[in-house]
């Protein structure tokens, strides 16, 4: 029996026979000069390869339910393949240089993916995998390279692999997969999200797992504690089998919480919201019984060409910047989410990324930053290049009439940033009124508390805000100076660090004093131990992945407020 410790990516316990996916052979991308006569043929091969990949993705889409997360991912892949801005970038490079299309495509995709990884935005960093996945399939077609077919994985298997592409993760919906054991992958990756969505235990960061586990060996994946057991003894197998049966009964019991409010044992009400990254994910949130959307990340919308000049922009917006992200396309996305959620609140965060070529906007110089996490990003970028925020606010206010909108500003560290953004909101309202475009005037505007600076001056920020939302992921890494994506120091990342907990408690106290609601939308909101601590501190609104909502509702129902307060007091007093 061999026990390996990794990182939990999806909870639960699974036991099955290991199916070891062969390590992918790195593509060999030829670099060769081409003649002018060959240029047209090369581009035609590229467009044909794109069409083939699109067709295969479409074939997968039609087999999936409308509210399935894998379908949402595939539809996003279709947008990537249809992104005329990125395709034109590839075409320009191909026309300018006398190299084969395979070399040009690989280089441009890698450059784009690198920009995403270095964006200083966790969500966008994970999307680098998506870009490499979908255009990697185009490269495979061009090179006539046919890697391992994931369809070979049988029912009941534990998939053991170095890494797994999001498009390969469709197997998770087609087979009864017992678990995932991977070397690579982030806890915010689409593979991790899909594993949670389908209730499949997953453990990542298992070094050399494909060389340690042999084919057909029995393997247990415990996603709750991030542990994998190879060739377990009979006693361990029986214990895990009992735990799996108990978990199945628990999953059945959770279904009754979908349509229930989140209440403690003594009747205190909590509001459980969903975090989403695309408009279609709102339907999943509704299905899972979310009280609303606590965080709609808008970054991915800005990556798609569908937001570049599609639809009819207002004359003022079009005149101000013909290359700006389309107001109309943003409006349609926000409108869709608001209509899906009805009267339930929808908190939409303004752009939370840097300007490093992610946004092809004529008003933003293309610059490289050594430390994007500390650089020109989020509200700093939006205020330095106000046309970005201006266009986004126009789209948001226009969409406001279709639901219960709340606007959230990211990375606020100073009162003046809130004042500048709110002044822009007033200007937008005046414009829309002049143009006879309907909107809701009193849309709540709040901020993310995600730095120690914001938490420390929360009493100064609160009078300017309608609500606070604690982004505990960034708050933790900014406070203790740990990059959790860096394997050399990730073990030091600790959301229960006393400094982090004290900043959270201070922020909650300031919110209560100012009579504004305080929610949490980081990962602490959904983890059982941290959920209980936050609830005991006074948090009454939690936002998380939609599939985790029923579990949190059930968890809170087991405790009284006094019990929760005792749990949090113990954490705050620990040193």
């Amino acid at each position: 029996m061999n026990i390996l410790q990794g990182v939990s990516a999806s909870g639960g316990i699974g036991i099955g026979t290991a199916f070891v996916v062969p390590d992918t052979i790195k593509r060999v991308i030829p670099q060769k000069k081409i003649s002018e006569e060959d240029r047209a043929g090369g581009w035609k091969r590229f467009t044909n390869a794109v069409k083939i990949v699109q067709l295969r993705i479409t074939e997968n889409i039609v087999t999936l339910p409308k509210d399935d997360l894998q379908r949402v991912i595939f539809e996003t892949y279709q947008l990537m393949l249809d992104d005329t801005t990125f395709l034109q970038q590839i075409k320009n490079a191909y026309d300018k240089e006398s190299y084969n299309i395979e070399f040009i495509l690989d280089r441009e995709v890698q450059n784009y993916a690198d920009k995403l990884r270095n964006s200083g935005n966790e969500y966008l960093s994970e999307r680098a995998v998506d870009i490499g996945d979908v255009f990697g399939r185009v490269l495979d077609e061009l090179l006539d390279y046919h890697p391992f077919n994931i369809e070979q994985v049988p029912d009941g298997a534990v998939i053991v692999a170095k890494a797994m592409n999001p498009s390969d993760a469709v197997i998770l919906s087609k087979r009864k997969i017992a678990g995932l054991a991977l070397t690579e992958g982030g806890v915010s990756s689409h593979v991790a999200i899909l594993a949670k969505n389908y209730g499949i235990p997953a453990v990542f960061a298992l070094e050399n797992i494909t060389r340690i586990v042999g084919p057909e060996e029995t393997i247990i994946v415990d996603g709750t504690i991030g542990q994998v057991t190879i060739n377990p003894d009979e006693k361990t197998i029986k214990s895990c089998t009992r735990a799996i049966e108990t978990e199945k009964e628990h999953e059945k019991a959770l279904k009754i919480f979908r349509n229930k409010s989140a209440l403690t044992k003594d009747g205190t009400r909590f509001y459980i919201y969903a975090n989403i990254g695309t408009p279609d994910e709102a339907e999943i949130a509704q299905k899972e019984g979310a009280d609303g959307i606590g965080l709609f990340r808008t970054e991915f919308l800005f990556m798609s060409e569908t937001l570049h000049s599609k639809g009819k922009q207002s004359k003022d917006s079009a005149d101000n910047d013909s290359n700006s992200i389309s107001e109309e396309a943003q409006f349609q996305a926000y409108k869709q989410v608001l209509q899906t959620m009805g009267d339930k609140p929808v908190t939409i965060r303004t752009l939370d990324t840097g300007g490093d070529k992610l946004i092809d906007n004529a008003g933003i110089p293309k610059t490289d930053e050594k430390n994007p996490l500390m650089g020109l990003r989020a509200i700093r970028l939006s205020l330095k290049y106000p046309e970005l925020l201006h266009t986004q606010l126009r789209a948001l206010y226009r969409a406001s009439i279709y639901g219960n909108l709340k606007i959230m500003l990211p990375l606020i560290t100073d009162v003046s940033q809130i004042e500048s953004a709110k002044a822009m909101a007033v200007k937008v309202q005046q414009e829309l009124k002049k143009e006879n475009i309907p909107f809701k005037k009193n849309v709540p505007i709040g901020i993310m508390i995600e730095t120690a600076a914001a938490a420390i001056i929360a009493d100064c920020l609160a009078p300017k805000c309608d609500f606070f939302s604690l982004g505990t992921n960034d708050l933790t890494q900014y406070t203790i100076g740990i990059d959790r994506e860096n394997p050399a120091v990730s073990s030091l990342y600790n959301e229960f660090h006393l400094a982090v907990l004290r900043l959270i408690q201070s922020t909650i106290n300031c919110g209560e004093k100012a009579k504004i609601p305080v929610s949490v939308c980081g990962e602490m909101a959904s983890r059982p131990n941290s959920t209980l601590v936050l609830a005991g501190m006074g948090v009454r609104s939690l936002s998380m992945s939609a599939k985790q909502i029923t579990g949190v509702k059930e968890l809170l129902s087991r405790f009284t407020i006094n019990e929760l307060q005792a749990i949090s007091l113990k954490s705050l007093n620990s040193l």
Side-chain angles (χ1 to χ4, degrees):
M1 187 166 73
N2 187 8
I3 299 175
L4 305 177
Q5 186 64 47
V7 174
S8 173
S10 176
I13 301 174
I15 182 169
T17 302
F19 187 97
V20 182
V21 177
D23 289 352
T24 303
I25 299 173
K26 186 174 176 61
R27 299 183 191 91
V28 177
I29 309 296
Q31 179 183 0
K32 56 187 179 182
K33 290 280 187 177
I34 60 170
S35 65
E36 195 61 37
E37 294 77 33
D38 292 335
R39 191 181 301 281
W43 188 252
K44 185 175 182 180
R45 286 192 303 107
F46 169 69
T47 55
N48 285 340
V50 170
K51 289 176 182 176
I52 291 170
V53 174
Q54 285 177 321
L55 179 61
R56 288 178 181 160
I57 290 176
T58 300
E59 289 172 350
N60 276 314
I61 287 175
V62 297
T63 65
L64 297 166
K66 187 178 179 182
D67 60 356
D68 190 284
L69 184 56
Q70 181 73 66
R71 182 182 181 124
V72 173
I73 293 171
F74 278 140
E75 288 171 345
T76 302
Y77 276 21
Q78 292 284 38
L79 289 177
M80 291 179 183
L81 292 170
D82 282 334
D83 185 347
T84 56
T85 299
F86 184 52
L87 294 178
Q88 188 60 51
Q89 180 180 320
I90 296 169
K91 182 72 161 60
N92 291 343
Y94 182 59
D95 289 343
K96 184 179 179 181
E97 305 175 49
S98 299
Y99 289 112
N100 56 306
I101 186 61
E102 294 87 352
F103 171 75
I104 296 294
L105 174 61
D106 182 61
R107 187 190 66 191
E108 294 301 314
V109 168
Q110 291 304 320
N111 287 343
Y112 192 11
D114 286 344
K115 290 297 179 182
L116 291 171
R117 291 188 190 96
N118 298 324
S119 65
N121 179 288
E122 184 179 1
Y123 182 77
L124 287 181
S125 296
E126 294 292 356
R127 302 298 73 80
V129 177
D130 301 338
I131 293 288
D133 183 13
V134 68
F135 281 100
R137 291 176 179 271
V138 176
L139 267 172
D140 290 343
E141 287 300 320
L142 286 168
L143 297 168
D144 196 24
Y145 170 63
H146 303 289
F148 173 79
N149 183 3
I150 198 70
E151 295 287 346
Q152 296 177 31
V153 177
D155 280 345
V158 171
I159 297 177
V160 177
K162 181 179 180 181
M164 192 173 190
N165 286 323
S167 56
D168 286 335
V170 69
I171 197 70
L172 304 182
S173 66
K174 291 183 175 181
R175 302 277 195 277
K176 295 177 181 178
I177 302 301
L180 294 178
L182 308 180
T183 298
E184 299 175 2
V187 294
S188 299
S189 67
H190 269 148
V191 173
I193 294 169
L194 286 165
K196 293 173 185 174
N197 190 60
Y198 298 125
I200 298 172
V203 177
F204 295 171
L206 296 162
E207 192 172 353
N208 296 321
I209 187 67
T210 56
R211 297 174 189 173
I212 296 172
V213 178
E216 304 298 317
E217 286 188 312
T218 300
I219 184 169
I220 295 172
V221 178
D222 190 334
T224 304
I225 60 175
Q227 203 170 80
V228 165
T229 304
I230 305 163
N231 290 325
D233 55 31
E234 284 300 316
K235 182 180 177 181
T236 303
I237 291 175
K238 287 180 180 178
S239 175
C240 286
T241 301
R242 287 194 299 270
I244 291 169
E245 290 302 316
T246 301
E247 184 62 27
K248 285 181 180 178
E249 292 300 316
H250 184 231
E251 287 294 324
K252 289 179 183 177
L254 287 183
K255 290 181 180 179
I256 67 171
F257 285 89
R258 279 185 177 173
N259 299 315
K260 285 187 174 183
S261 297
L263 298 172
T264 58
K265 196 158 58 175
D266 53 351
T268 300
R269 173 74 191 270
F270 282 74
Y271 294 88
I272 313 299
Y273 301 110
N275 296 336
I276 65 172
T278 65
D280 290 338
E281 290 178 50
E283 294 187 16
I284 300 172
Q286 271 287 54
K287 181 180 176 182
E288 293 299 322
D291 290 314
I293 303 299
L295 171 62
F296 178 16
R297 307 177 183 93
T298 59
E299 291 73 59
F300 193 78
L301 299 175
F302 283 76
M303 292 168 54
S304 171
E305 192 278 332
T306 55
L307 297 184
H308 288 263
S309 68
K310 272 193 177 183
K312 183 181 178 182
Q313 286 182 278
S314 73
K315 185 178 185 300
D316 286 347
S317 177
D319 288 345
N320 286 339
D321 188 355
S322 59
N323 293 318
S324 65
I325 307 292
S326 165
E327 175 187 321
E328 182 64 25
Q330 289 190 64
F331 161 69
Q332 292 296 340
Y334 306 148
K335 174 184 174 182
Q336 179 182 336
V337 174
L338 287 162
Q339 288 182 321
T340 299
M341 300 309 296
D343 293 333
K344 294 178 179 179
V346 173
T347 302
I348 300 181
R349 185 176 66 188
T350 59
L351 184 63
D352 184 21
T353 186
D356 45 4
K357 293 184 183 177
L358 294 179
I359 305 164
D360 187 14
N361 188 297
I364 301 178
K366 296 176 181 179
T367 59
D368 291 317
E369 294 184 286
K370 290 183 179 179
N371 192 347
L373 197 64
M374 303 286 187
L376 187 61
R377 57 180 288 252
I379 194 64
R380 301 167 185 173
L381 181 77
S382 296
L383 293 178
K384 184 173 179 64
Y385 301 103
E387 184 57 35
L388 275 175
L389 184 59
H390 177 265
T391 302
Q392 188 166 27
L393 286 173
R394 282 184 61 94
L396 285 165
Y397 274 104
R398 286 176 56 199
S400 65
I401 62 173
Y402 295 96
N404 187 359
L405 173 66
K406 299 170 74 175
I407 297 172
M408 184 156 66
L409 307 173
L411 203 63
I412 293 292
T413 55
D414 191 81
V415 170
S416 64
Q417 294 170 326
I418 305 172
E419 291 173 339
S420 297
K422 292 179 81 170
M424 176 77 73
V426 172
K427 179 183 176 182
V428 164
Q429 291 180 35
Q430 291 170 345
E431 289 176 359
L432 294 175
K433 185 176 180 180
K434 185 177 180 180
E435 296 166 25
N436 293 319
I437 296 175
F439 65 93
K440 284 185 180 178
K441 184 178 180 181
N442 297 317
V443 173
I445 297 178
I447 66 169
M448 294 278 287
I449 301 290
E450 49 195 326
T451 66
I456 290 169
I457 64 166
D459 59 327
C460 303
L461 301 173
K464 302 290 182 179
C465 302
D466 294 310
F467 62 91
F468 283 160
S469 183
L470 281 153
T472 55
N473 299 352
D474 276 345
L475 181 62
T476 301
Q477 66 177 0
Y478 277 129
T479 300
I480 60 178
I482 298 295
D483 177 6
R484 67 176 184 161
E485 298 300 320
N486 182 344
V489 295
S490 59
S491 61
L492 300 175
Y493 180 89
N494 178 20
E495 292 168 327
F496 280 88
H497 192 292
L498 192 57
V500 177
L501 293 179
R502 285 180 176 178
L503 288 173
I504 292 172
Q505 185 66 75
S506 174
T507 302
I508 294 168
N509 294 343
C510 290
E512 289 177 350
K513 187 175 180 180
K515 294 184 169 57
I516 63 171
V518 179
S519 64
V520 175
C521 61
E523 287 181 19
M524 282 186 77
S526 60
R527 293 197 183 109
N529 54 350
S530 52
T531 295
L532 299 179
V533 171
L534 291 168
M537 286 180 169
V539 172
R540 295 294 177 264
S541 298
L542 301 160
S543 191
M544 62 204 65
S545 172
K547 283 291 181 177
Q548 296 169 308
I549 289 173
T550 54
V552 170
K553 287 182 179 181
E554 187 274 337
L555 176 67
L556 290 169
S557 73
R558 295 188 234 153
F559 297 86
T560 65
I561 285 297
N562 286 339
E563 290 169 338
L564 293 170
Q565 289 172 343
I567 291 170
S568 66
L569 195 62
K570 185 177 180 181
S571 294
L572 283 165
N573 288 335
S574 65
L575 189 61

